[in-house]
Amino acid sequence: MSALERLNTLPPDEARAELKRCCGASRWAEAMTKARPFRDAEHLFSEASQQWSRTGPEDWREAFTHHPRIGDVASLRAKFAATASWSSQEQGGVSGAGEEVLQGLADGNQAYEERFGFIFLVCATGKSAQEMLGLLRARLGNAPDEELRIAAGEQAKITRIRLEKLLAS
């Protein structure tokens, strides 16, 4: 049985849990669970995008809480066990970073959270720690509403990548 067939036939609670590994917004996961069965991967991706476009700031903030801070290895292991392997792959660019960059990320994350009220979210796949630090610093100057929309866009990218991983598992 393919991963897609498995997702299509799981009991609703189990399907919702699998989908929440991809995006932590409850309303999105519920809508995706109800949208089953998916004909193929493209149908799944299209539906995911469509359902995300129907969410709003409250949903986005909920989804953000399901991510560790960029570079926060301790959180990856503890709080985010269900997605730890995916998050560590996505944040692979942090693993070889120097102390100065890691401290910059820690300080930047704190400033970002104080300014916007949620963690700095970036689709980290393929980005170095230095690139992520540059993006974090650049985005600190955004207006709060603009930054919330940018972070929601990053969540959509992460969701797509995680759905691909779900189908590959």
Side-chain angles (χ1 to χ4, degrees):
M1 175 183 297
S2 75
L4 184 63
E5 290 169 331
R6 181 180 167 277
L7 178 63
N8 282 337
T9 59
L10 281 173
D13 287 348
E14 291 178 37
R16 193 175 308 102
E18 286 294 300
L19 290 161
K20 281 193 84 168
R21 291 177 61 209
C22 301
C23 175
S26 298
R27 197 163 68 122
W28 177 88
E30 182 64 31
M32 289 295 291
T33 301
K34 289 178 179 175
R36 298 177 308 153
F38 303 108
R39 292 182 302 277
D40 53 30
E42 284 311 310
H43 181 216
L44 172 68
F45 302 145
S46 173
E47 191 68 33
S49 179
Q50 186 176 47
Q51 294 302 333
W52 186 246
S53 73
R54 293 180 176 143
T55 62
E58 185 177 311
D59 304 299
W60 305 341
R61 288 176 184 273
E62 179 188 10
F64 303 163
T65 66
H66 290 258
H67 293 277
R69 287 178 189 89
I70 295 291
D72 188 349
V73 177
S75 283
L76 278 172
R77 289 193 186 110
K79 183 177 177 188
F80 302 98
T83 59
S85 66
W86 289 352
S87 293
S88 16
Q89 290 168 358
E90 293 159 4
Q91 292 191 31
V94 174
S95 62
E99 193 58 40
E100 187 176 312
V101 172
L102 292 175
Q103 188 60 54
L105 284 168
D107 294 343
N109 278 321
Q110 183 175 348
Y112 185 97
E113 287 180 49
E114 288 170 5
R115 174 156 168 68
F116 300 113
F118 53 89
I119 68 160
F120 170 67
L121 195 67
V122 65
C123 183
T125 302
K127 290 179 179 63
S128 71
Q130 188 66 47
E131 287 175 279
M132 289 184 274
L133 179 56
L135 289 167
L136 190 160
R137 288 177 173 160
R139 286 171 49 189
L140 275 169
N142 290 338
D145 286 349
E146 176 188 12
E147 185 54 31
L148 183 59
R149 282 190 295 281
I150 291 169
E154 293 297 304
Q155 174 64 57
K157 293 176 196 175
I158 294 164
T159 300
R160 167 69 186 241
I161 289 168
R162 289 184 173 187
L163 286 169
E164 290 170 358
K165 290 176 181 178
L166 183 65
L167 292 182
S169 62

